[in-house]
Amino acid sequence: MSAQYDAIGARYAGWKETPIPTYTEVPTVKRLLSGTIEGRSVLDLACGTGYYSRLFKQWGASKVVGVDVSDTMVAAAREAEAKAPLGIEYQTTDAATLPVLGSFDLATATYLLHYAETSEAMGLMCRNIAANLKPGGLLLALLPEPDYVMGQGETERYGFTYRLVAAGPEWQLVHADVHTNPPFSIEYRHWARGVFEKALQAARFTDLRWHPFEVSPEGLAKFGPGYWRDLIENPMSTILTARLPVSSGHRPI
Ligand SMILES: C[S@@+](CC[C@H](N)C(=O)[O-])C[C@H]1O[C@@H](n2cnc3c(N)ncnc32)[C@H](O)[C@@H]1O
């Protein structure tokens, strides 16, 4: 998977300026972390160009460590850090072989777990994430929506088009062309809901909760409700949160 993002590199950052991340994804992540992230340490897995790592620091995290399998993405993240330092550390590491880097309050996996090519690989990622969290620690994962209906609704106005490449009993592999300037293409899997849930539960995570994206008041005012209808009726992505059990002497994050 490193090769795919080694080729995309900093072009991925263009997607984050389009309406879906700006007016739905980021406001929803911010609301879910608000009141929790302030003063906490965060391990940002699949940090890419450091987009969320930087936001987490700006939202009040005390410490942020970003890890990604792609050298090119980590280089772009380090460049952003060098230009405007926030004190974020970045490392090139595969989440499937992630060592213990610390004992973090929060872990984020913004578009990571679905890149596991097998459910076993996803299980490994989840176990490694758990090993890096304190008891009671919180994981927030951004994921392709498991119930996404291919072919329903229009995506061009949101800045991408896609086609189904292959399907198995528990996943659908999609090729998406992202119409940013410059454009790029990616392939990713929509895994079944139960695969994520089983991988997390096997890694001792509890309190699993799915959170649909919301459209921010700014997004509604700028584009009107009709623009967002297809996304709300057939969301392409979603958020899953889960917690490690609390042990005696620790409070939940
Ligand atoms: C869609 S990008 C998301 C980047 C960032 N989290 C964001 O939301 O802007 C997916 C990222 O996952 C990384 N990735 C894929 N498989 C990985 C793995 N096994 N371990 C660590 N990072 C991985 C890719 O290199 C890429 O940077």
Side-chain angles (χ1 to χ4, degrees):
M1 199 42 66
S2 127
Q4 171 165 234
Y5 280 93
D6 282 347
I8 295 169
R11 279 180 296 161
Y12 181 77
W15 166 249
K16 291 301 200 191
E17 289 164 23
T18 65
I20 289 179
T22 308
Y23 297 109
T24 68
E25 178 189 299
V26 174
T28 310
V29 171
K30 186 174 186 187
R31 184 185 63 73
L32 289 170
L33 294 181
S34 156
T36 301
I37 195 167
E38 298 84 359
R40 307 285 190 179
S41 55
V42 182
L43 178 60
D44 184 24
L45 296 136
C47 65
T49 57
Y51 178 82
Y52 273 109
S53 311
R54 296 182 68 74
L55 283 177
F56 296 153
K57 204 75 209 295
Q58 287 158 1
W59 295 345
S62 56
K63 167 181 167 159
V64 179
V65 176
V67 303
D68 197 284
V69 72
S70 161
D71 274 331
T72 311
M73 298 301 263
V74 168
R78 286 192 177 131
E79 201 179 309
E81 173 68 18
K83 274 192 195 143
L86 291 174
I88 302 168
E89 292 164 41
Y90 293 103
Q91 285 195 28
T92 303
T93 311
D94 185 335
T97 55
L98 178 75
V100 174
L101 300 177
S103 182
F104 292 84
D105 297 308
L106 276 160
T108 52
T110 51
Y111 300 118
L112 166 70
L113 296 178
H114 62 296
Y115 283 116
E117 289 187 5
T118 61
S119 52
E120 290 74 24
M122 195 188 294
L124 275 179
M125 287 183 186
C126 293
R127 282 214 292 279
N128 294 340
I129 296 170
N132 275 280
L133 275 174
K134 288 180 185 166
L138 178 72
L139 168 67
L140 179 145
L142 272 173
L143 300 167
E145 164 61 45
D147 295 332
Y148 187 67
V149 182
M150 303 283 160
Q152 180 190 305
E154 199 242 312
T155 61
E156 197 137 356
R157 67 169 171 275
Y158 303 129
F160 71 98
T161 46
Y162 69 88
R163 64 186 155 79
L164 183 64
V165 176
E170 294 186 309
W171 51 262
Q172 292 185 301
L173 180 65
V174 167
H175 173 104
D177 294 312
V178 183
H179 308 153
T180 44
N181 183 18
F184 65 92
S185 299
I186 47 173
E187 288 199 352
Y188 58 90
R189 270 167 228 268
H190 283 263
W191 282 95
R193 200 172 296 280
V195 177
F196 294 119
E197 292 176 346
K198 265 191 217 152
L200 286 168
Q201 283 159 345
R204 294 190 307 112
F205 282 98
T206 60
D207 194 19
L208 274 56
R209 295 181 198 207
W210 293 90
H211 311 266
F213 283 11
E214 298 147 11
V215 181
S216 69
E218 293 77 14
L220 277 175
K222 183 161 181 176
F223 294 99
Y227 174 87
W228 297 108
R229 194 161 301 125
D230 285 345
L231 187 85
I232 297 301
E233 286 176 2
N234 189 25
M236 56 182 283
S237 303
T238 189
I239 301 176
L240 176 58
T241 58
R243 285 177 189 280
L244 283 185
V246 186
S247 60
S248 59
H250 285 89
R251 284 189 293 134
I253 304 304

